[in-house]
Amino acid sequence: QVQLGESGGGLVQAGGSLRLSCAASGSIFSINHSGWYRQAPGKQRELVAVIWNSGRIQYADSVKGRSTISRDNAKNTVVLQMDSLKPEDTAVYYCYVVARRDYSDSLKGYWGQGTQVTVSS
């Protein structure tokens, strides 16, 4: 099984910064892509940022220019640096990893438990 441990959420004032980190552990052969989603109260879960093995990165328009996603392949970690935070960034942020557990395994998606980010105005 693959476990995801998230950290870095919290309460911050508008204009501030937060750094979310997610470490994947367990039986991991390879990670195809990893990223962050968020879900605000009453809204659907949405993509924030994703990074592929190739280095390709995709950001949601709402965070583009204010966020940076990075990955440490040796440590199986993915980090989301968020700057110039706005109250509308308030949500539970979920780490998402697509990985293989061994060379014969198919790609599967795994979710973290989520970390709360609250941005006060």
Side-chain angles (χ1 to χ4, degrees), residues 43-64:
K43 295 188 176 181
Q44 289 189 329
R45 192 171 296 189
E46 62 176 5
L47 173 70
V48 178
V50 60
I51 182 168
W52 277 268
N53 255 348
S54 64
R56 177 191 167 204
I57 291 174
Q58 179 181 346
Y59 294 102
D61 288 342
S62 58
V63 303
K64 201 173 293 183

Side-chain angles (χ1 to χ4, degrees), residues 19-71:
R19 183 180 176 87
L20 305 183
S21 182
C22 173
S25 61
S27 180
I28 300 171
F29 176 72
S30 65
I31 294 177
N32 179 268
H33 61 277
S34 51
W36 293 87
Y37 285 72
R38 67 186 181 187
Q39 187 166 19
K43 295 188 176 181
Q44 289 189 329
R45 192 171 296 189
E46 62 176 5
L47 173 70
V48 178
V50 60
I51 182 168
W52 277 268
N53 255 348
S54 64
R56 177 191 167 204
I57 291 174
Q58 179 181 346
Y59 294 102
D61 288 342
S62 58
V63 303
K64 201 173 293 183
R66 301 187 294 120
S67 297
T68 303
I69 189 170
S70 60
R71 182 169 147 180

Side-chain angles (χ1 to χ4, degrees), residues 88-105:
E88 50 263 44
D89 293 317
T90 295
V92 177
Y93 283 69
Y94 296 91
C95 177
Y96 181 65
V97 170
V98 175
R100 284 189 174 87
R101 290 175 297 172
D102 59 57
Y103 72 95
S104 64
D105 192 21

